[in-house]
């Protein structure tokens, strides 16, 4: 056989191509054991072969991965990437709309494909994010997007991945944990007394249940083809939720809110995903009984309460893993002055406090894809899936590791970004 020439090709040489053979690297499939000196064959953006000693079809570019590691592209399971540019500049934030119920609003339509945060985030190996709207009770549709594309349509993986609901809770005015507070401008009522706060909570729950009942009546009228039936965009958007074709992403911070969310799901007969849920460790048996997945917030954060252990956020992922609960990790970037590019380090912190290394990687790859219902397309390196691949010179959970190549749907992505440019600028200053 004719000897093959192995080279690492500059991104610009095959920018319009989505077919190649990546050879000689350690392949971490996240679907089984790792493959040393492995190969990944990609054709038309899809993975068509994974293993050892794969032959390169005629005219297929070959990339030498000797000494490198190949992982699935990482997935930030909850963030606001693409919706917020500068937190302090209101005109650059498109996360929140007025009104308590906005199920018809889709995050993807507000995403800025040219956002600097998109470019910076993907430079660290994140290929997909779930970008979520904020607001009052029902803020809109969460969109799962690729971090590459000229238009929002090109970026969309699952435009309507879930409906975002902030579970009502008893909020007493005064010093409250930042993550418990409603988004700025939400107009959510609060009270300085427990009685008043309880009344506000009961009012919001009544409004929420009534909205779901209105949606159910609307669905019945539509199916019955009532003569006076008129399209209502808000109620129309609720039909996939009522049919259990679309889950509800429920932000529930406290233990009581988590229990209320589980009870609400039972009452309304809907599927839910718990979101943030820093006190999920207190309710593991109930969550497992309801078979509800959890998207945890960042581990690199302070405890929720002053008298909590200092490492409470660090150990929660391990607690959920030991209980057998499916979970992923999200950075919620944009809401807590964090960066989505730090996703692997959020997972790494959990490893230092008891979470097995492979489970940490799954929390930002396979588990995230499965929870968002796209496990058949992304999240692992398997035949038939999109070639969302991250090529590194080491363990992606370590800060010293560099991403050498990145592919989204088989296409190489430029890793240049503003932070890198500033680094080069000041490193080379006279």
């Amino acid at each position: 056989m004719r000897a093959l020439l192995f080279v690492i090709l500059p991104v610009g040489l095959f920018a319009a191509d989505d077919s190649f053979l990546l050879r000689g690297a350690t392949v971490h499939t996240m679907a089984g054991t790792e493959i040393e000196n492995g190969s990944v064959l990609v054709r038309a953006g899809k993975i068509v072969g994974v293993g050892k000693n794969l032959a390169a079809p005629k005219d297929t570019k070959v990339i030498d991965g000797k000494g490198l590691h190949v992982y699935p592209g990482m997935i930030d399971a909850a963030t606001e990437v693409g919706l917020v540019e500068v937190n302090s500049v209101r005109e650059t934030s498109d996360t929140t709309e007025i009104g308590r119920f906005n199920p018809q609003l889709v995050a993807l339509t507000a995403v800025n494909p040219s956002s600097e945060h998109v470019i910076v985030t993907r430079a660290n190996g994140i290929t997909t994010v779930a970008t979520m709207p904020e607001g009052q009770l029902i803020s809109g549709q969460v969109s799962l997007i690729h971090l590459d594309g000229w238009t929002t349509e090109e970026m969309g993986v699952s435009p309507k991945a879930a409906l975002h609901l902030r579970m009502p809770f008893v909020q007493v005015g005064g010093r409250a944990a930042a993550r418990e507070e409603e988004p700025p401008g939400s107009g959510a009522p609060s009270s300085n007394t427990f009685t008043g706060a309880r009344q506000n909570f009961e009012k919001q729950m009544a409004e929420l249940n009534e909205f779901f009942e209105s949606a159910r009546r609307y669905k019945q009228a539509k199916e019955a083809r009532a003569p006076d039936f008129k399209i209502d965009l808000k109620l129309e958007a609720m039909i996939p939720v009522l049919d259990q074709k679309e889950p509800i992403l429920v932000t529930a911070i406290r233990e009581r809110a988590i229990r209320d969310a589980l009870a609400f799901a039972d009452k309304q007969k809907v599927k839910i995903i718990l979101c943030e849920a820093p006190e999920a460790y207190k309710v593991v048996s109930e969550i497992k009984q309801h078979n509800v997945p959890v998207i945890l917030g960042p581990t690199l954060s302070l405890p929720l309460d002053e008298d909590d252990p200092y490492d409470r956020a660090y150990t929660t992922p391990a607690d959920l893993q030991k209980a057998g609960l499916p979970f992923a990790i999200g950075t919620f970037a944009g809401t807590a002055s964090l960066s989505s590019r730090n996703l692997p380090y959020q997972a790494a912190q959990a490893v230092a406090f008891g979470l097995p290394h492979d489970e940490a990687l799954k929390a930002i790859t396979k588990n995230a894809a499965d929870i968002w219902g796209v496990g058949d397309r992304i999240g692992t390196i398997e035949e038939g899936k999109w070639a969302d691949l991250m090529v590194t010179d080491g363990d992606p959970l370590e800060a010293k590791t560099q991403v050498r190549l990145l592919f989204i749907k088989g296409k190489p992505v430029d890793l240049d970004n503003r932070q890198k440019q500033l680094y080069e600028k000041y490193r080379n200053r006279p």
Side-chain angles (χ1 to χ4, degrees):
M1 291 182 61
R2 184 176 59 183
L4 293 173
L5 176 64
F6 299 109
V7 294
I8 294 184
L9 298 173
V11 169
L13 293 183
F14 53 98
D17 201 356
D18 55 4
S19 300
F20 57 89
L21 175 65
L22 179 59
R23 197 176 219 173
T26 300
V27 181
H28 305 262
T29 65
M30 304 314 302
T33 57
E34 66 182 40
I35 306 172
E36 293 186 5
N37 193 25
S39 303
V40 180
L41 180 60
V42 176
R43 298 289 288 179
K46 293 286 186 71
I47 300 171
V48 297
V50 183
K52 285 179 174 287
N53 304 317
L54 298 184
K58 185 179 180 180
D59 299 327
T60 298
K61 296 178 180 68
V62 179
I63 306 173
D64 184 10
K66 184 178 181 180
L68 301 177
H69 298 260
V70 185
Y71 295 87
M74 291 183 284
I75 303 169
D76 191 338
T79 181
E80 292 180 356
V81 168
L83 298 179
V84 178
E85 201 66 18
V86 182
N87 281 336
S88 59
V89 180
R90 182 178 180 182
E91 290 76 11
T92 69
S93 177
D94 206 359
T95 62
T96 307
E97 297 290 341
I98 61 173
R100 287 188 180 278
F101 302 99
N102 292 298
Q104 79 285 5
L105 302 181
V106 180
L108 182 63
T109 62
V111 167
N112 175 15
S114 300
S115 169
E116 287 291 336
H117 294 290
V118 168
I119 300 170
V120 168
T121 297
R122 72 188 184 198
N124 206 31
I126 294 91
T127 55
T128 309
V129 302
T131 189
M132 53 192 288
E134 291 288 355
Q136 297 186 47
L137 292 179
I138 296 179
S139 53
Q141 306 275 345
V142 181
S143 296
L144 198 67
I145 63 173
H146 270 141
L147 295 185
D148 184 48
W150 286 99
T151 65
T152 54
E153 288 76 12
E154 290 179 7
M155 298 175 72
V157 175
S158 181
K160 299 179 181 179
L163 190 70
H164 185 207
L165 164 66
R166 295 187 66 91
M167 200 67 200
F169 59 93
V170 178
Q171 179 180 355
V172 180
R175 187 181 182 280
R179 282 185 291 174
E180 282 191 283
E181 297 173 356
E182 294 288 343
S186 67
S190 60
S191 175
N192 290 322
T193 66
F194 177 81
T195 301
R198 183 72 187 180
Q199 291 175 347
N200 288 334
F201 165 77
E202 293 174 350
K203 178 182 178 182
Q204 290 183 60
M205 285 302 302
E207 291 176 354
L208 184 60
N209 281 297
E210 175 55 31
F211 184 76
F212 269 75
E213 290 306 315
S214 295
R216 195 164 278 109
R217 291 192 295 268
Y218 174 87
K219 178 177 179 290
Q220 293 171 349
K222 182 179 181 179
E223 292 172 347
R225 297 182 180 180
D228 58 345
F229 178 79
K230 293 182 180 180
I231 295 292
D232 185 311
L233 295 180
K234 289 188 176 185
L235 300 180
E236 188 75 22
M238 295 295 295
I239 292 179
V241 174
L242 298 178
D243 289 340
Q244 296 191 7
K245 295 179 180 179
E246 180 183 334
I248 303 175
L249 182 69
V250 182
T251 294
I253 306 299
R254 294 289 185 178
E255 176 187 357
R256 180 69 263 173
I258 295 173
R259 294 183 187 277
D260 288 342
L262 296 175
F264 179 79
D266 286 343
K267 177 179 179 179
Q268 295 296 342
K269 296 180 174 56
V270 293
K271 298 191 319 184
I272 67 170
I273 301 169
L274 288 174
C275 174
E276 290 197 69
E279 292 194 337
Y281 68 94
K282 295 182 177 181
V283 205
V284 288
S285 59
E286 291 89 337
I287 297 174
K288 188 173 183 178
Q289 181 181 354
H290 285 79
N291 193 29
V292 172
V294 181
I295 296 176
L296 291 173
T299 58
L300 293 169
S301 58
L302 294 173
L304 193 59
D305 289 321
E306 291 181 351
D307 55 352
D308 282 340
Y310 79 94
D311 59 355
R312 181 64 266 169
Y314 309 158
T315 59
T316 297
D319 291 337
L320 268 58
Q321 187 269 331
K322 291 174 184 176
L325 289 179
F327 74 94
I329 294 175
T331 64
F332 296 84
T335 59
S337 300
L338 297 170
S339 173
S340 186
R341 67 169 289 142
N342 290 330
L343 175 67
Y345 316 131
Q346 303 289 353
Q349 186 70 8
V351 175
F353 285 81
L355 182 67
H357 183 272
D358 284 351
E359 294 299 323
L361 285 172
K362 287 180 181 179
I364 53 177
T365 54
K366 183 181 186 299
N367 290 1
D370 290 341
I371 288 173
W372 283 116
V374 291
D376 59 334
R377 289 181 276 172
I378 59 176
T380 59
I381 302 177
E382 295 181 276
E383 293 183 12
K385 295 191 177 183
W386 286 339
D388 289 359
L389 304 173
M390 169 180 58
V391 183
T392 72
D393 59 9
D395 185 344
L397 301 190
E398 296 184 2
K400 67 180 182 180
T401 295
Q402 298 293 312
V403 177
R404 299 300 184 184
L405 293 170
L406 190 69
F407 302 89
I408 295 180
K409 297 180 75 172
K411 295 182 179 180
V413 177
D414 189 356
L415 297 178
D416 193 24
N417 62 86
R418 181 163 178 77
Q419 291 185 3
K420 180 181 178 181
Q421 293 166 4
L422 290 172
Y423 167 75
E424 295 291 346
K425 174 182 177 180
Y426 288 104
R427 187 185 71 165
N428 297 320
R429 68 182 179 180

